[in-house]
Amino acid sequence: MILTIAIENTIISVGCFQEMNLRFVENISTNLARTELEYIMCFQSMFDMHGIEKRQIDGTIISSVVPQVTNIVKKATKRMTEKEERELLVKGDNFPTFFAGDIYVDE
């Protein structure tokens, strides 16, 4: 299962894909003051609501147009899932949710 996180200016969209099937999509507000632990609690609540255990997560994909939030979310997902994430850098500042548009992989 892949955890996907799209960090936008006002909303963070979180989804989970199992193979090609989208298991869920939930949104939380983008908040520059939110801590790593607060993000972990948000993500864990989403998992609990949808019957997903963190051990089921094989990896994480993060896209972001808010650099100030990116590292906190990366740390939270790594700590929560104990998996490395793949960060996607997004061109432009008006990025539609869930990876439509120009995407560049940071390697």
Side-chain angles (χ1 to χ4, degrees):
M1 197 171 310
I2 302 296
L3 175 64
T4 59
I5 302 170
I7 304 168
E8 301 177 35
N9 291 316
T10 58
I11 295 291
I12 297 175
S13 297
V14 180
C16 221
F17 285 89
Q18 188 168 22
E19 296 181 11
M20 296 302 289
N21 299 314
L22 180 62
R23 291 281 305 268
F24 75 84
V25 176
E26 298 289 348
N27 295 310
I28 58 175
S29 59
T30 302
N31 182 337
L32 300 178
R34 193 171 281 151
T35 68
E36 179 181 331
L37 180 58
E38 289 171 316
Y39 280 113
I40 290 170
M41 291 169 52
C42 288
F43 300 150
Q44 187 61 56
S45 292
M46 291 176 198
F47 288 2
D48 292 346
M49 285 176 24
H50 295 282
I52 295 171
E53 295 183 27
K54 63 183 180 181
R55 65 178 172 75
Q56 293 177 275
I57 303 298
D58 297 314
T60 303
I61 299 173
I62 299 172
S63 67
S64 180
V65 297
V66 188
Q68 305 92 317
V69 175
T70 306
N71 283 333
I72 301 276
V73 169
K74 283 172 57 174
K75 288 178 185 177
T77 58
K78 184 175 180 182
R79 183 171 161 196
M80 186 179 75
T81 65
E82 299 176 357
K83 306 279 184 185
E84 293 294 327
E85 74 289 331
R86 186 72 184 244
E87 181 180 352
L88 299 179
L89 301 179
V90 180
K91 180 180 176 183
D93 55 356
N94 186 12
F95 177 62
T97 303
F98 285 100
F99 316 127
D102 296 329
I103 299 174
Y104 303 93
V105 178
D106 181 20
E107 297 188 84

